[in-house]
Amino acid sequence: MAATSWLRVLVAGAAVLALAGCGKADRAVLGAPGCPGGPAARPAPAPARAGTVWTWAPHFQAPGGTPARRAVPGWSDVVSVADSGYTTVAVRADGTVWSYGVNVEGSLGHGARERVYEATPRQVTGIGPARAVYNSGSTFYAVLRDGRVAGWGADRFLVEAGRRRGHDGVSVPRLVPGVKGVVAMGPGLLNSFALRGDGRVLGWGVNLTDVLGDTDGTRLTAVRGVSGAVGVASAGEAVVAVKADGRVCAWGNNAHGLLGVEPRGGQSGRPVRVPVVRGAVQVAGGENVAYALDRDGAVWAWGRGASGSLGDGDTSGHVSARPLRVAGLPRISRIAAYQFTAYAIDTEGGLWGWGSGLALAPNAPGGTAVPVRVPLPGPAVDVSGRHVIVAG
């Protein structure tokens, strides 16, 4: 028998033995259709307008008496915002980066690690020009206009692209080593993901649930098996990506059905296709729950439904591995997520939200399992945590 034939026999035998030792959920994940190839990527879309920034709750650990519902002073031309709950960072139209709130191990980016509260935004120097800002908890990333990424904040491990160089925070921005050609990001709490302009997805950080793919390391890597991506989002224990052809793929842990595979369970570093969702243009991720927006303006949700995060009217700890269309929404143009809360901005700029209510209070104290309209002084452009960019 030829050497190649023997190799095929050995590989097939190994696969059979592996499947024989797996449970039903593991076999389902291993047998799920892979993430298909597709058209080349296009640049990730960005909010078209700048605006003021409004908040409806003070930062965690802000001094007593801090105003809740208000416009953030000085932020009149903001194009991107990221809110950790403690610190908020914004990018203005001129590419400058600004921050305010509680400093968590350097999250304000002003050179100090002491926990202080700054009520007025101050420019983060030594960085820019930037196009957008993202966060992994109290670690922040600015995607620069030249495709590089600068990071700072509480987790040095993430700022150093998964290299273990101490546990202290990084109080001034520094370039994340090896990260280039980036147009957008989708960070998680323990890891980060960056979308390159060529459609590849980069990842680094903790890899307990194979979110970095089939690798044992923590350092920067390109996730194998996904190409042509135009959006990426961490959904807790899994990652979701949308491709230029509108298909959605996911990889990581399937305990909450985030891979769209039933029965739930198992995990995969190999990206698989999420069924049902077609014609998607954007994805977002919360606390083990994922969302997709399709080209018709419909929002789809799957994963963990705790506190109403699926928007299906159920606040119990239920799970759906099958994406469900969120009812009660007008035509949507943009989505976002924050823990167990989801947001949707309609084509007229109306902001809608559902979920735990942590970020929606006082508009929906106690949470809501169906979408509700969040009152704003003008049309919403983008939202993060409890901060929203309002146009005009």
Side-chain angles (χ1 to χ4, degrees), residues 175-313:
L175 291 176
V176 180
V179 180
K180 300 177 182 178
V182 172
V183 295
M185 293 186 68
L189 282 177
L190 302 175
N191 30 54
S192 291
F193 304 92
L195 173 67
R196 286 176 48 101
D198 59 9
R200 291 188 293 168
V201 175
L202 306 177
W204 64 93
V206 176
N207 193 35
L208 291 178
T209 58
D210 289 342
V211 288
L212 301 184
D214 293 320
T215 177
D216 294 328
T218 62
R219 296 190 179 188
L220 176 69
T221 185
V223 179
R224 294 189 295 272
V226 59
S227 61
V230 295
V232 63
S234 171
E237 296 177 4
V239 183
V240 291
V242 57
K243 295 167 58 66
D245 60 7
R247 289 181 281 191
V248 174
C249 298
W251 61 96
N253 196 316
N254 192 49
H256 298 98
L258 289 168
L259 305 191
V261 176
E262 294 181 298
R264 292 181 288 109
Q267 63 188 44
S268 172
R270 176 184 66 95
V272 301
R273 183 180 176 185
V274 177
V276 180
V277 182
R278 300 178 179 86
V281 295
Q282 190 194 352
V283 288
E287 186 67 32
N288 290 317
V289 59
Y291 306 93
L293 171 67
D294 69 24
R295 64 172 61 100
D296 294 323
V299 179
W300 300 80
W302 68 101
R304 188 179 180 189
S307 302
S309 57
L310 291 177
D312 58 357

Side-chain angles (χ1 to χ4, degrees), residues 6-382:
W6 275 112
L7 181 59
R8 291 192 189 100
V9 171
L10 288 172
V11 170
V16 170
L17 289 173
L19 287 171
C22 294
K24 187 175 181 180
D26 297 298
R27 291 195 296 272
V29 168
L30 289 171
C35 186
R42 52 178 166 75
R49 295 174 292 172
T52 60
V53 176
W54 281 74
T55 180
W56 50 84
H59 290 105
F60 300 133
Q61 298 184 2
T66 300
R69 189 175 180 82
R70 62 166 180 154
V72 178
W75 281 358
S76 59
D77 56 350
V78 170
V79 295
S80 179
V81 64
D83 177 21
S84 73
Y86 292 91
T87 310
T88 304
V89 179
V91 175
R92 301 176 73 171
D94 61 2
T96 58
V97 179
W98 299 70
S99 67
Y100 90 109
V102 177
N103 190 46
V104 181
E105 289 291 317
S107 59
L108 288 175
H110 300 320
R113 291 171 50 203
E114 293 76 20
R115 185 161 294 220
V116 297
Y117 176 72
E118 294 194 9
T120 303
R122 186 153 56 104
Q123 184 175 351
V124 180
T125 58
I127 182 177
R131 59 176 295 172
V133 64
Y134 303 85
N135 68 291
S136 295
S138 292
T139 302
F140 288 85
Y141 308 94
V143 175
L144 307 182
R145 290 178 181 174
D146 63 7
R148 295 179 296 170
V149 173
W152 70 95
D155 198 334
R156 179 179 295 271
F157 170 64
L158 293 178
V159 175
E160 294 285 355
R163 299 176 181 177
R164 302 188 185 278
R165 294 181 174 175
H167 301 284
D168 55 325
V170 177
S171 60
V172 292
R174 62 178 62 180
L175 291 176
V176 180
V179 180
K180 300 177 182 178
V182 172
V183 295
M185 293 186 68
L189 282 177
L190 302 175
N191 30 54
S192 291
F193 304 92
L195 173 67
R196 286 176 48 101
D198 59 9
R200 291 188 293 168
V201 175
L202 306 177
W204 64 93
V206 176
N207 193 35
L208 291 178
T209 58
D210 289 342
V211 288
L212 301 184
D214 293 320
T215 177
D216 294 328
T218 62
R219 296 190 179 188
L220 176 69
T221 185
V223 179
R224 294 189 295 272
V226 59
S227 61
V230 295
V232 63
S234 171
E237 296 177 4
V239 183
V240 291
V242 57
K243 295 167 58 66
D245 60 7
R247 289 181 281 191
V248 174
C249 298
W251 61 96
N253 196 316
N254 192 49
H256 298 98
L258 289 168
L259 305 191
V261 176
E262 294 181 298
R264 292 181 288 109
Q267 63 188 44
S268 172
R270 176 184 66 95
V272 301
R273 183 180 176 185
V274 177
V276 180
V277 182
R278 300 178 179 86
V281 295
Q282 190 194 352
V283 288
E287 186 67 32
N288 290 317
V289 59
Y291 306 93
L293 171 67
D294 69 24
R295 64 172 61 100
D296 294 323
V299 179
W300 300 80
W302 68 101
R304 188 179 180 189
S307 302
S309 57
L310 291 177
D312 58 357
D314 188 348
T315 59
S316 70
H318 65 301
V319 172
S320 177
R322 182 179 179 83
L324 307 171
R325 181 170 177 171
V326 180
L329 289 170
R331 186 181 179 92
I332 298 301
S333 62
R334 190 166 182 83
I335 57 175
Y338 176 76
Q339 297 179 352
F340 292 113
T341 302
Y343 295 112
I345 298 174
D346 66 36
T347 55
E348 302 297 322
L351 178 63
W352 299 77
W354 61 95
S356 67
L358 173 65
L360 290 172
N363 304 295
T368 172
V370 295
V372 297
R373 179 77 178 266
V374 181
L376 292 173
V381 175
D382 204 2

